[in-house]
Amino acid sequence: MNAVLAVIRRDLLLAMRRKSEVLTALFFFVIVTSLFPLGIGPEPALLKKIAPGVLWVAALLATMLGLQRMFAADHADGTLEQMVLSPTPLGLLVGGKIAAHWMLSGLPLVLLAPVLGLQFDLDVGALGVLMLALLLGTPLLSLIGAIGAALTLGLRGGGVLLSLLVLPLYVPALIFGAGAVEAHIAGLGAGGHLSLLAALLALAAFFAPWATTAALRIALE
Amino acid sequence: MNNKLIHWFKYASPQSFYPLAGKMIPWFWGLAAAFGVVGLWLSFFVAPTDAQQGEGYRIIFVHVPASWMSMFIYLVLAAWAGLGLALNTRLSGMMASALAPTGALMAFLALWTGAFWGKPMWGTWWVWDARITSELILFFLYLGFIALQAAIDDPRRADKAGAILALVGVVNVPIIYFSVKWWNTLHQGSSVSVGKSSMAVTMLWGMLFMALCFWMYSIAVALMRVRAIILEREAHTEWVKELNEVKS
Amino acid sequence: MLSIHGLSCVRGERRLFAGLDFAVGPGEWLHVRGENGAGKTSLLRLLVGLMAPAEGEIRWNGENVRTLGEDYRRHLLFLGHHGAVKEELSALENLQLASQLDGDALADRSALAALHRFGLKGREELPVRFLSAGQKRRVLLARLVTKQAKLWILDEPFTALDVKAVDMLSALIGEHLADGGMAILTSHQAMPIPGGRELQL
């Protein structure tokens, strides 16, 4: 457990020392959501309708940005080898890496989303559901993304390839995440969507570190 | 029982599978042609014209088998991949790589014929229907698999990485399908249903024969491709250098 | 006691070595030599378990390391080509985080003592980015002092070190062997440590 905390602490510390990476992804999130009204037009009813989808797609793309670096630096400087050789099982350490990735790329989005939601005229209830859905959904994105990051580790064209692998797998998260907010706005209640999102999260939390570990071992051989 | 197991493992080595596949390929081509002739005859000349959809419906004789195959091939691909990871047999990975392009082709064919069918039936090339959308995502999954394997130089790593992706994909396919279905019912964008209630028996036979034709074609093509992959990867071995087709 | 039985290594389509047998007991060390590309690094990676052998077995106290898993890794310290040192973190942070990764908490005092021993006094808090190549290497070597491992596997530990540091490291390995430790290392230089055997690949 100590070792897992060390992995998280190190990644957070590193992110503090090079803040630009985290801030770039956040800025990207803001700018992408702000571009949609410019492309579609300022009509409030329409914007309110597309808001959940726009915010979720932007969140998806923003998490993709940092994904490729998830293991790349550790791979290049040999830290990954030391993680494999640690007495702590690699699956747990990978879980730590994923948790750190979420804290740096997912959590800021959760906190920032309501502010952007205001631009789209979402009411307080819808903003709450949006935050909750992102809170459940962004860890899912980090978990699934980790598998892709491990599979494409050290490959040429890794970044583009990574999005080709990972984005189709993000479809359920996108549907249930954006659907929760839409269902709330339509007055249907977001409970069903949110519980499905939570179920997917539980499933991914169980399987993704395992698959990521297997992929990392293959990449290191 | 034990004997049988050893017998099967004998064919798991590329060296002994290569000639076996070579012998099987003409048979599967022959069967594909035979089923295809019967299937096309049934679907174009015997099956009656549909009351609502007219002659245009006949495209489902290609569309439905293609979409069945695209899904089934992904399952087979994942099964080979899982086998390769579990038993570390080289042939499994080669089979998985050999199946992927055919699966992608089937998914593409299903989408394309679906669009051709949709234009006269629904008046539009594309509808965000649950089945079509899932098929599209399946197509993306195939492309991801092929692209990942193409990006890795070391064939053993390519096999293993592809295997993990295929297994992750196969867990996700039902989740994606149900999420898309859920999404579709929530939005009620397109409430179309393919008329399956009033299907004539001859239509079913036609579809069955076409499906068998697609099966045989897929097996034949996959075997041809796996033979090419074996030659490529085993090029440095003695037995490949001794082959007649390599020597000449 | 580490013993190797009929070990083979295949990289791509090339067989680097085959049928390798040797054993390293307490107080012994093995000097792996060979030309560039002979498979020295591959051998070390096989020994620590980063790669799977094509054939053969690696045993620790008579048991296959694959089945031992973390019970083997606990006794192991591997320093590879890459430093596993983060440029943005200070020497002290690097050392402490590396120890925590091994599952032990390292007190400031012992971490500082290890760094001082390697001549990094006054540079403990500096981001490693500002250190020279040799000094970075010393940060890495400080782990030899802080991790209590029986088996050291070191890939080219003397690269980028000055004469003084080479002597220091040799003395450290000597102490380790005298305590009943074991070491396997690759190096192009002749080594001033007694009691070693050579393995030519």
Side-chain angles (χ1 to χ4, degrees):
Chain A
M1 211 52 223
N2 209 346
V4 179
L5 291 178
V7 168
I8 298 177
R9 211 166 76 84
R10 188 186 55 205
D11 278 12
L12 296 183
L13 210 56
L14 283 171
M16 289 294 288
R17 302 276 156 92
R18 38 184 186 206
K19 293 187 190 68
S20 63
E21 287 178 9
V22 177
L23 292 176
T24 312
L26 268 183
F27 188 59
F28 177 84
F29 181 53
V30 174
I31 213 166
V32 167
T33 47
S34 309
L35 282 178
F36 273 89
L38 296 176
I40 289 168
E43 194 197 328
L46 180 63
L47 287 182
K48 191 173 177 177
K49 187 159 167 47
I50 62 162
V54 167
L55 286 165
W56 260 92
V57 170
L60 228 66
L61 297 177
T63 22
M64 287 291 313
L65 284 185
L67 217 46
Q68 206 205 341
R69 284 191 303 271
M70 197 166 183
F71 300 110
D74 285 352
H75 181 51
D77 68 15
T79 310
L80 199 57
E81 288 176 358
Q82 294 296 335
M83 283 170 61
V84 174
L85 298 179
S86 155
T88 313
L90 183 59
L92 287 177
L93 300 179
V94 163
K97 291 286 295 180
I98 296 172
H101 178 266
W102 176 72
M103 287 178 206
L104 293 169
S105 74
L107 193 58
L109 298 187
V110 177
L111 300 174
L112 199 61
V115 183
L116 296 173
L118 286 176
Q119 285 189 317
F120 289 85
D121 193 27
L122 292 181
D123 59 49
V124 178
L127 290 177
V129 174
L130 175 68
M131 273 183 92
L132 201 58
L134 280 171
L135 195 63
L136 288 169
T138 44
L140 189 59
L141 302 183
S142 296
L143 282 162
I144 297 172
I147 305 176
L151 283 173
T152 56
L153 191 57
L155 300 184
R156 58 193 128 79
V160 185
L161 183 60
L162 178 60
S163 36
L164 187 58
L165 300 188
V166 165
L167 285 175
L169 301 178
Y170 278 176
V171 167
L174 172 67
I175 287 177
F176 295 130
V181 187
E182 283 170 27
H184 175 84
I185 294 173
L188 297 171
H193 287 87
L194 290 177
S195 21
L196 280 167
L197 212 50
L200 286 183
L201 178 58
L203 194 72
F206 188 74
F207 282 112
W210 178 80
T212 309
T213 307
L216 283 178
R217 283 188 197 280
I218 293 167
L220 276 178
E221 256 193 26
Chain B
M1 188 65 205
N2 213 2
N3 273 335
K4 211 169 185 179
L5 210 68
I6 291 163
H7 179 74
W8 278 110
F9 269 104
K10 176 175 170 251
Y11 285 109
S13 94
Q15 182 179 357
S16 42
F17 188 74
Y18 180 83
L20 178 72
K23 274 185 219 125
M24 290 194 300
I25 287 168
W27 288 97
F28 283 110
W29 273 122
L31 285 170
F35 284 129
V37 167
V38 178
L40 286 174
W41 175 68
L42 280 174
S43 46
F44 275 104
F45 300 108
V46 180
T49 307
D50 190 89
Q52 295 148 16
Q53 307 181 9
E55 298 293 345
Y57 90 95
R58 289 186 200 274
I59 202 157
I60 63 163
F61 288 114
V62 176
H63 173 73
V64 174
S67 50
W68 281 348
M69 280 317 287
S70 67
M71 287 180 258
F72 184 69
I73 288 177
Y74 199 85
L75 288 182
V76 177
L77 189 157
W80 277 115
L83 207 63
L85 274 188
L87 302 177
N88 210 4
T89 48
R90 278 177 303 159
L91 189 63
S92 315
M94 297 181 187
M95 282 305 283
S97 326
L99 281 166
T102 307
L105 176 75
M106 290 296 167
F108 180 71
L109 208 58
L111 288 171
W112 197 357
T113 52
F116 275 173
W117 185 78
K119 186 65 181 163
M121 297 307 148
W122 304 331
T124 167
W125 294 108
W126 185 265
V127 174
W128 288 97
D129 162 74
R131 262 169 304 207
I132 301 177
T133 313
S134 326
E135 188 74 44
L136 181 68
I137 295 166
L138 184 66
F139 181 57
F140 290 154
L141 288 180
Y142 274 120
L143 291 189
F145 181 87
I146 296 169
L148 177 66
Q149 291 212 319
I152 304 177
D153 292 322
D154 175 21
R156 288 185 69 85
R157 184 184 166 191
D159 279 350
K160 289 186 187 169
I164 291 179
L165 183 68
L167 291 179
V168 171
V170 91
V171 173
N172 267 281
V173 162
I175 299 177
I176 291 173
Y177 179 73
F178 284 111
S179 65
V180 170
K181 212 170 159 174
W182 170 291
W183 161 79
N184 196 49
T185 44
L186 180 81
H187 289 263
Q188 303 196 330
S190 56
S191 51
V192 283
S193 61
V194 184
K196 51 188 148 197
S197 49
S198 62
M199 202 181 275
V201 182
T202 41
M203 287 188 193
L204 274 178
W205 278 110
M207 220 180 270
L208 184 71
F209 273 96
M210 287 308 288
L212 283 171
C213 163
F214 275 52
W215 265 70
M216 296 305 137
Y217 162 81
S218 303
I219 296 174
V221 171
L223 286 177
M224 285 177 81
R225 207 173 283 121
V226 87
R227 265 166 67 95
I229 294 173
I230 289 174
L231 282 189
E232 205 174 8
R233 292 206 193 163
E234 308 272 295
H236 62 288
T237 59
E238 284 307 311
W239 73 266
V240 168
K241 287 176 191 152
E242 293 298 311
L243 286 174
N244 284 327
E245 58 260 45
V246 175
K247 270 196 282 191
S248 57
Chain C
M1 155 113 163
L2 185 78
S3 56
I4 290 355
H5 306 269
L7 197 67
S8 304
C9 175
V10 178
R11 291 303 271 165
E13 286 162 10
R14 229 162 62 80
R15 185 170 283 268
L16 291 175
F17 50 80
L20 208 57
D21 289 286
F22 63 82
V24 180
E28 294 178 339
W29 71 278
L30 188 71
H31 186 181
V32 182
R33 305 193 72 158
E35 293 165 19
N36 293 332
K40 298 187 295 292
T41 298
S42 295
L43 174 62
L44 297 196
R45 289 171 66 85
L46 280 173
L47 291 181
V48 299
L50 283 171
M51 269 164 50
E55 287 154 23
E57 253 184 44
I58 303 154
R59 295 194 197 136
W60 175 250
N61 294 335
E63 276 190 76
N64 193 331
V65 297
R66 292 254 143 198
T67 49
L68 278 177
E70 49 192 271
D71 287 327
Y72 171 58
R73 296 201 293 269
R74 211 185 301 284
H75 300 295
L76 185 75
L77 176 62
F78 170 68
L79 301 183
H81 271 306
H82 303 295
V85 169
K86 293 282 177 197
E87 302 261 306
E88 288 86 353
L89 303 183
S90 72
L92 184 62
E93 286 166 333
N94 264 306
L95 194 56
Q96 286 185 317
L97 286 167
S99 298
Q100 283 170 12
L101 198 60
D102 292 330
D104 342 297
L106 185 61
D108 282 0
R109 209 152 47 88
S110 28
L112 287 174
L115 290 173
H116 291 174
R117 180 164 178 180
F118 277 90
L120 291 166
K121 197 173 172 98
R123 295 187 175 81
E124 309 92 339
E125 305 283 350
L126 216 59
V128 170
R129 181 159 28 114
F130 298 117
L131 301 183
S132 73
Q135 284 173 324
K136 277 178 202 166
R137 201 73 196 162
R138 288 168 180 230
V139 176
L140 183 64
L141 293 173
R143 287 197 64 204
L144 293 173
V145 183
T146 56
K147 183 171 179 180
Q148 309 294 323
K150 283 212 183 70
L151 175 63
W152 290 1
I153 295 187
L154 314 175
D155 199 358
E156 301 284 352
F158 292 102
T159 18
L161 291 184
D162 57 20
V163 181
K164 209 173 142 205
V166 169
D167 288 345
M168 206 153 53
L169 180 57
S170 309
L172 199 61
I173 296 174
E175 278 172 37
H176 173 63
L177 297 175
D179 282 351
M182 295 158 244
I184 298 174
L185 40 102
T186 62
S187 164
H188 290 291
Q189 294 120 304
M191 304 259 265
I193 311 163
R197 278 177 298 133
E198 239 182 57
L199 176 74
Q200 192 77 34
L201 283 183

